Amino acid sequence: MNAFAQLFVVSALALAAATSQAQPVAQPAARAVAALASNYIAAKDGTPLYYKDWGPKDGPVVVFSHGWPLNSDSWESQMMFLADKGYRVIAHDRRGHGRSGQPWNGNHMDQYADDLAAVIEALNLKNATLVGFSTGGGEVARYIGRHGSQRVAKVVLVSAVTPLMVKTPANPDGVPMEVFDGLRKASADNRAQLYKDIAGGPFFGFNRPGAKPSEGQVDSFWRQGMLAGHKATYDSIKAFSESNFVEDLKKLDKPTLVIHGDDDQIVPIETTGRATAKLVKNARLIEYAGGPHGITDTHKNRLNQDLLEFIKR
């Protein structure tokens, strides 16, 4: 559990103890502790995973997996939109990110997929549409690769890192390893500045001529990034850049929608979105002309409608 959650629990327990001496029952404090605990699911290794569960509990289920170095807050526009339409929308903070625990180990794609499975199984979710953004797209693909699609109805991959980002002899058009080495160095040197530079530049396309940067979007990205653990975000660079999802994608046997901006400077569309659509049988690809990596914010209205149309089919 991260520092904020720990402080909340300790404070609430202290309040409960103090007020119980003056009054027979400290119900508000006890309820506060119970409410906090109800927002967490334990991974198989005991790591607490924070999650949101919005909308009607009997509605069709949509599960969101977020990107690096963000958390479930990054999906708030899509979750609000779909919850208002009657969908039950769920998103968790990946281990090491947001309000989830920050274990030293396990910051790799197999564990991310297993943690997603822990959330899905703990909530007994069935016929769920899984939606993954960037690193979260890899998480969704690896989840199906490791756990099958029995609980899955549909899949949406948004700006996803699949099938493989890094340049290799078998993937000659990938991103050179030097780029990710530079990202690791920048993270170690001053990750706070790194997150401002990413958000203020290529993530939202604010470095393009004529772009109008949003201070609010930059601040939100930075805030989410700084909530994540340093070790987790550092390790995750290897997870999202070097994980090979080719075999996972071949196991996707549910209707799949791939959405990608054609001006994505973080996860180039040619070797990811377009390649993914070719590997997944009968996948549908939608390209957003001029769309940057962060289309969940820059193109949220269009994305919301595309998600709704696909899920309703």
Side-chain angles (χ1 to χ4, degrees):
M1 190 176 297
N2 66 19
F4 175 80
Q6 289 175 331
L7 178 62
F8 190 95
V9 171
V10 171
S11 299
L13 289 173
L15 177 62
T19 55
S20 65
Q21 296 177 5
Q23 300 176 0
V25 180
Q27 292 181 350
R31 284 198 297 267
V33 174
L36 178 64
S38 70
N39 287 333
Y40 285 86
I41 287 171
K44 293 297 173 60
D45 65 355
T47 298
L49 303 173
Y50 172 85
Y51 74 98
K52 301 177 182 183
D53 188 346
W54 294 356
K57 296 300 181 284
D58 59 349
V61 178
V62 184
V63 180
F64 293 89
S65 292
H66 65 79
W68 173 95
L70 307 174
N71 58 53
S72 58
D73 292 351
S74 63
W75 283 115
E76 60 187 12
S77 295
Q78 288 70 43
M79 293 179 71
M80 281 281 289
F81 175 80
L82 291 174
D84 283 342
K85 300 293 184 183
Y87 290 87
R88 181 184 181 187
V89 292
I90 296 163
H92 74 288
D93 292 354
R94 186 171 298 118
R95 66 171 50 219
H97 296 67
R99 290 137 294 201
S100 289
Q102 296 187 9
W104 186 253
N105 298 315
N107 302 301
H108 54 79
M109 200 58 66
D110 285 353
Q111 185 63 62
Y112 296 164
D114 292 351
D115 289 349
L116 176 58
V119 172
I120 291 173
E121 291 166 10
L123 298 177
N124 194 26
L125 304 179
K126 299 175 182 178
N127 297 316
T129 296
L130 304 187
V131 185
F133 170 77
S134 196
T135 301
E139 178 179 283
V140 166
R142 184 57 53 86
Y143 164 80
I144 293 176
R146 286 173 67 82
H147 298 274
S149 60
Q150 294 88 343
R151 293 177 177 266
V152 180
K154 296 180 180 181
V155 175
V156 184
L157 303 176
V158 182
S159 305
V161 298
T162 56
L164 174 63
M165 277 195 69
V166 72
K167 181 179 181 179
T168 66
N171 188 40
D173 296 323
V175 179
M177 180 64 78
E178 291 77 15
V179 172
F180 303 111
D181 288 340
L183 195 58
R184 276 183 279 266
K185 183 179 186 305
S187 179
D189 289 348
N190 188 345
R191 75 183 183 114
Q193 187 60 51
L194 171 65
Y195 298 157
K196 282 188 176 291
D197 292 342
I198 291 174
F203 189 89
F204 297 112
F206 291 153
N207 57 338
R208 292 307 196 199
K212 296 179 180 180
S214 165
E215 184 177 346
Q217 287 179 337
V218 173
D219 288 349
S220 179
F221 184 103
W222 182 87
R223 175 187 62 81
Q224 291 180 57
M226 294 308 294
L227 274 175
H230 194 357
K231 176 66 158 54
T233 53
Y234 186 91
D235 288 354
S236 190
I237 295 170
K238 179 179 178 67
F240 72 67
S241 65
E242 297 181 44
S243 296
N244 189 322
F245 302 99
V246 171
E247 295 305 315
D248 301 302
L249 293 175
K250 291 179 180 178
K251 295 179 181 179
L252 266 63
D253 56 356
K254 303 294 184 177
T256 301
L257 176 64
V258 180
I259 301 177
H260 217 108
D262 69 4
D263 191 34
D264 191 329
Q265 302 170 69
I266 304 292
V267 181
I269 187 173
E270 189 60 43
T271 55
T272 54
R274 291 171 183 164
T276 293
K278 293 177 182 177
L279 281 169
V280 179
K281 186 177 181 181
N282 297 323
R284 179 188 176 198
L285 172 64
I286 298 178
E287 298 186 12
Y288 287 8
H293 188 57
I295 55 177
T296 53
D297 284 305
T298 62
H299 292 63
K300 65 180 181 181
N301 292 333
R302 180 180 177 186
L303 177 60
N304 290 348
Q305 291 296 333
D306 285 339
L307 287 175
L308 180 62
E309 179 185 337
F310 178 69
I311 295 169
K312 286 172 61 177
R313 290 182 178 178

